[in-house]
Amino acid sequence: MTSRLNLFVAIVALTCLSETAESCETVMDLCFILDSSQSTCASHPNYKKGDITCSAWTAMLDFAKNVVSNLTIGVGQTRVAMDRCYSKGQRVWNLTRGADSSTLVPLIVGMNYTAGTTNMSGALDVARNLIFSPTYGDDVTIPNVCLAITDAGWTDRAAVQTSADAIHAAGVKIYAIGNQGTDVDNLKQIVSEPKQYNQNYFMVDRFENLMQVHSLVTQQLCQYSC
């Protein structure tokens, strides 16, 4: 019996690993946290104050769209919520909004850029209280995962640490992606253990190059939720 059980576990593990290159069967509640702070777009030469997009913001949306397209979306599989991080945390939509990827993709690519500061504490609190809550449709029987894309430009480290500790204690797994302007110590503050590069946090030179880490990120999501 033991040998049969070990064989079964091995087969399941191999199945998970074989699906991690680009897409996989997943079961999780996933929340994107997208950094809509002023610094996301301000450094881009063609950006003007009041613009509703820039190349970095568009790249974030395209990346989220591609991640969603490579997961199995639906009730009992993966559901997706969106949390905007700017001067406050903002639940853009909750886990019950998109029934499948064809519903979610237009929601993602249609998000306008709204400049502000980097209130990551507020965004983490929104994820914990207004997204990963049974009151708002969270399924407590499956993994809860956050994927943050941010330059980690916050200065209120104590507040962010309190919020990060609270959401980790609630059992939410957090991954994050930063760029060359990212404060890596800040980024590591919010991600889950073991806080290792290319395992829990990822880096690109510019957000326009997010697709460079797409396979790595998808692999981690798939392995965690398989």
Side-chain angles (χ1 to χ4, degrees):
M1 180 64 71
T2 300
S3 61
R4 289 182 179 180
L5 177 60
N6 290 338
L7 178 60
F8 173 76
V9 171
I11 291 171
V12 171
L14 287 171
T15 301
C16 290
L17 289 172
S18 68
E19 292 177 330
T20 57
E22 292 296 336
S23 62
C24 63
E25 296 290 325
T26 52
V27 179
M28 63 179 161
D29 282 342
L30 172 65
C31 173
F32 287 98
I33 300 178
L34 299 189
D35 186 344
S36 182
S37 62
Q38 182 71 28
S39 56
T40 296
C41 284
S43 62
H44 293 259
N46 296 324
Y47 172 74
K48 302 184 296 297
K49 186 176 181 180
D51 284 355
I52 61 172
T53 194
C54 70
S55 56
W57 180 250
T58 299
M60 287 186 186
L61 301 182
D62 284 343
F63 181 83
K65 176 193 72 175
N66 278 285
V67 169
V68 164
S69 297
N70 287 329
L71 301 177
T72 50
I73 305 299
V75 176
Q77 297 176 306
T78 292
R79 299 182 303 165
V80 177
M82 184 64 70
D83 183 359
R84 184 197 302 272
C85 174
Y86 64 127
S87 300
K88 60 180 181 179
Q90 179 193 24
R91 182 184 63 187
V92 184
W93 65 80
N94 64 21
L95 294 163
T96 62
R97 180 71 181 275
D100 51 40
S101 58
S102 65
T103 305
L104 281 170
V105 166
L107 292 176
I108 294 170
V109 299
M111 283 181 61
N112 289 340
Y113 170 71
T114 304
T117 56
T118 313
N119 188 346
M120 182 56 71
S121 175
L124 293 174
D125 289 345
V126 163
R128 178 170 59 90
N129 296 319
L130 299 181
I131 292 174
F132 295 126
S133 166
T135 303
Y136 299 103
D138 179 49
D139 184 346
V140 298
T141 67
I142 63 176
N144 288 334
V145 180
C146 272
L147 176 57
I149 306 177
T150 176
D151 63 10
W154 53 85
T155 56
D156 52 340
R157 285 184 56 85
V160 172
Q161 189 64 62
T162 297
S163 298
D165 289 345
I167 196 169
H168 291 154
V172 179
K173 183 81 168 181
I174 301 182
Y175 301 90
I177 308 172
N179 65 1
Q180 65 180 0
T182 292
D183 184 323
V184 177
D185 287 336
N186 276 4
L187 195 69
K188 291 169 71 174
Q189 186 181 23
I190 67 170
V191 300
S192 299
E193 296 290 348
K195 301 182 185 291
Q196 291 185 356
Y197 175 61
N198 280 349
Q199 183 172 341
N200 300 93
Y201 72 95
F202 311 84
M203 302 294 293
V204 292
D205 56 345
R206 304 166 66 238
F207 285 134
E208 287 86 345
N209 293 326
L210 279 166
M211 289 303 295
Q212 292 177 352
V213 296
H214 177 265
S215 292
L216 283 172
V217 172
T218 302
Q219 179 179 10
Q220 292 301 320
L221 293 175
C222 290
Q223 288 180 345
Y224 181 68
S225 63
C226 182

